[in-house]
């Protein structure tokens, strides 16, 4: 609440909230319409089409991503998203699923440009002592928007024409762009897209950064493993039917419990002092999350399941805030590159999980949870041990990447 007294933070908070809300509103609306018109297979194609640009740009598009590392250019990206979202009904009407897939790819491109750049700019707008708190604030508002977006989409689909829903969604991106433009007029940040040798230091190589900080590389890898393992949540409806003889009401209650736990824990995650070895703490927290995930198989009542779901929610903000605070301690060019790498890893893991988890869940939805959970415990535990070993003898992250950039 103290941070919201700062005008720059309020503008940033508004832009981030509206963008995430627009993302979730679009995701819910497009999935519903594609399923209604073309079935479940088309839904999977749309999800993959949106993820592929994140993977490609995060892997080989470093220079392109860095060109949008300013508030005004991010505002232009949001305007582009507004146009694309508003055009979705027209693309569907004119070209069918191929038009929808083309728009999904372009929206994935804009998201891959926007998300890491906004995350890298956040620490520049507050004092160093407030970085963890503002990361927690962004996490909180993002979680609220992720809950409110699908709910709003469901409500709007029930009361307005589909085309009007996408127009409304486009307006959220326009409003976000306006907030970013106003923020840019009151904030001077150095650009990261200079050409030639003088700008080379603004494009650090991911390999050099991760080699210099192997504990950070481990944390990003464990993040991908966590996203992969937690995709088993897709099997929760089948688990409820097989284990507890429960249905949609229990599933909705479990999702609500997870969201409530995350919202309640966010204030602590954003304000409690993190351990000096934040990467090892991060990996250990993922191990805790894996243990809770595995224990879901032991739930013998809906009440027990709701308690475990809430506990999973409590763990989530500590994961997000810890990693983003750690990455925020790097110099801005390195921070942008590492955040882009992290986004690439989790998008790749999420896409790959869709090829494995559904089959595992279909075979035995009860055993899918301990298999995924214990696998995550092993990976995260090993990652925590490596992060602890590698980070003990290293300099703080704010110092070492500067040497990497100087060498480059």
């Amino acid at each position: 609440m103290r941070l919201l007294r700062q005008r720059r933070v309020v503008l940033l908070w508004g832009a981030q909230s509206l963008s995430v809300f627009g993302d979730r509103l679009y995701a819910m609306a497009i999935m519903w319409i594609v399923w209604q018109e073309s079935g479940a297979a088309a839904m999977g194609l749309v999800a993959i089409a949106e993820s592929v640009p994140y993977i490609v740009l995060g892997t080989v598009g470093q220079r392109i991503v860095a060109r949008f590392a300013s508030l005004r250019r991010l505002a232009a990206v949001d305007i582009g998203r507004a146009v694309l979202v508003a055009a979705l009904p027209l693309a569907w009407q004119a070209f069918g699923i191929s038009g929808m897939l083309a728009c999904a790819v372009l929206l994935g491109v804009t998201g891959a440009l926007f998300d890491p750049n906004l995350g890298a700019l956040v620490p520049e707008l507050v004092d160093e002592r407030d970085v963890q708190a503002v990361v927690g604030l962004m996490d909180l508002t993002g979680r609220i928007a992720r809950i409110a977006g699908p709910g709003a989409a469901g409500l709007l689909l029930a009361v307005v024409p589909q085309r009007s829903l996408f127009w409304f969604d486009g307006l959220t991106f326009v409003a976000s762009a306006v907030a970013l433009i106003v923020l840019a007029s009151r904030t001077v940040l150095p650009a990261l897209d200079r050409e030639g040798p003088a700008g080379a230091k603004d494009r650090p190589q991911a390999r050099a950064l991760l080699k210099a900080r192997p504990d950070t590389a481990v944390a990003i890898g464990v993040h991908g493993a966590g996203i992969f393992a937690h995709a088993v949540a897709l099997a929760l409806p089948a688990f409820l039917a097989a284990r507890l003889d429960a249905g949609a009401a229990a599933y909705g209650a479990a999702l609500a419990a997870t969201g409530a736990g995350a919202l309640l824990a966010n204030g602590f995650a954003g304000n409690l002092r993190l351990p000096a070895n934040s990467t090892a703490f991060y990996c250990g927290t993922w191990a805790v999350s894996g243990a809770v995930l595995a224990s879901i198989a032991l739930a013998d009542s809906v009440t027990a399941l709701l308690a475990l779901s809430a506990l999973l929610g409590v763990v989530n903000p500590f994961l997000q805030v810890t990693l983003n605070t750690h990455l925020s301690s790097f110099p801005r060019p390195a921070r942008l590159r590492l955040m882009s790498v992290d986004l690439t890893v989790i998008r790749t893991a999420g896409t790959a999980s869709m090829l494995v988890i559904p089959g595992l869940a279909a075979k035995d939805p009860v055993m899918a949870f301990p298999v995924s959970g214990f696998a995550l415990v092993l990976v995260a535990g090993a990652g925590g041990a490596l992060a602890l070993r590698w980070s003990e003898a290293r300099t703080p992250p704010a110092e070492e990447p500067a040497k990497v950039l100087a060498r480059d």
Side-chain angles (χ1 to χ4, degrees):
M1 298 305 296
R2 174 179 55 82
L3 288 173
L4 290 178
R5 298 172 190 161
Q6 301 179 29
R7 191 170 298 175
R8 291 194 302 180
V9 174
V10 170
L11 288 168
L12 180 66
W13 168 79
Q16 193 254 8
S17 299
L18 288 165
S19 279
V20 176
F21 181 81
D23 280 339
R24 296 303 92 202
L25 188 67
Y26 147 76
M28 170 66 179
I30 192 172
M31 287 302 179
W32 174 262
I33 293 169
V34 169
W35 173 80
Q36 194 176 47
E37 300 291 340
S38 299
M43 289 175 64
L45 288 175
V46 169
I48 292 172
E50 188 184 7
S51 292
V52 166
Y54 283 88
I55 299 170
V56 173
L57 286 174
T59 304
V60 297
Q62 176 187 1
R63 292 185 64 179
I64 298 173
V65 173
R67 286 184 178 276
F68 291 85
S70 72
L71 294 168
R72 286 187 174 84
R73 292 189 179 186
L74 290 183
V77 171
D78 260 346
I79 293 295
R81 291 206 277 190
V83 172
L84 287 170
V85 167
L88 274 170
L90 300 176
W92 177 268
Q93 185 177 4
F95 304 105
I97 188 63
S98 60
M100 193 70 78
L101 289 172
C103 285
V105 169
L106 293 174
L107 282 164
V109 170
T110 57
L113 297 175
F114 188 93
D115 294 345
N117 275 303
L118 184 65
L121 287 170
V122 167
E124 302 288 324
L125 302 175
V126 297
D127 295 332
E128 184 177 351
R129 64 186 177 87
D130 289 329
V131 169
Q132 183 182 342
V134 79
V135 167
L137 177 64
M138 296 300 115
D139 178 73
L140 174 64
T141 54
R143 291 184 188 280
I144 293 173
R146 290 184 189 99
I147 295 171
L155 178 63
L156 289 170
L157 280 170
V159 299
V160 301
Q162 290 179 0
R163 183 172 297 184
S164 299
L165 168 63
F166 286 101
W167 289 347
F168 176 81
D169 192 10
L171 288 176
T172 65
F173 290 117
V174 172
S176 173
V178 171
L180 288 170
I181 290 171
V182 173
L183 180 59
S185 68
R186 301 177 179 180
T187 307
V188 178
L189 296 174
L192 296 185
D193 57 347
R194 297 193 301 274
E195 295 291 340
K201 66 179 185 298
D202 285 340
R203 295 191 295 272
Q205 296 298 312
R207 181 177 298 179
L209 291 170
L210 296 175
K211 183 178 180 180
R213 289 297 308 226
D215 57 320
T216 301
V218 165
I220 292 174
V222 169
H223 192 186
I227 295 298
F228 187 96
H230 272 261
V232 76
L234 293 172
L236 190 56
F239 169 86
L240 286 166
R243 173 81 172 172
L244 303 176
D245 195 26
Y251 180 56
L255 295 180
T258 302
L263 292 177
L264 289 173
N266 177 273
F268 294 97
N271 292 283
L272 289 179
R273 177 174 296 200
L274 293 175
N277 195 324
S278 61
T279 51
F281 173 77
Y282 175 75
C283 294
T285 306
W286 267 119
V288 171
S289 179
V292 177
L293 191 67
S295 66
I296 286 177
L298 301 176
D300 56 1
S301 67
V302 173
T303 301
L305 176 66
L306 295 181
L308 291 170
S309 298
L311 185 55
L312 272 179
V314 167
V315 174
N316 287 340
F318 289 94
L319 293 168
Q320 195 66 32
V321 172
T322 300
L323 182 59
N324 282 349
T325 301
H326 172 72
L327 296 180
S328 295
S329 65
F330 286 83
R332 186 172 158 214
R335 183 193 317 146
L336 172 59
R337 186 64 185 129
L338 289 173
M339 287 185 172
S340 183
V341 169
D342 179 59
L343 195 61
T344 302
V345 167
I346 62 175
R347 283 282 180 162
T348 303
T351 302
S353 69
M354 295 300 100
L355 303 176
V356 177
I357 296 297
L360 177 64
K363 186 175 181 180
D364 191 338
V366 177
M367 283 302 297
F369 285 89
V371 169
S372 298
F374 285 129
L376 178 56
V377 170
L378 291 175
V379 172
L386 290 173
L388 187 63
R389 176 184 176 185
W390 284 332
S391 63
E392 283 178 344
R394 306 197 75 85
T395 56
E399 298 177 14
E400 186 140 358
K403 301 176 184 177
V404 174
L405 296 178
R407 287 199 300 270
D408 289 345

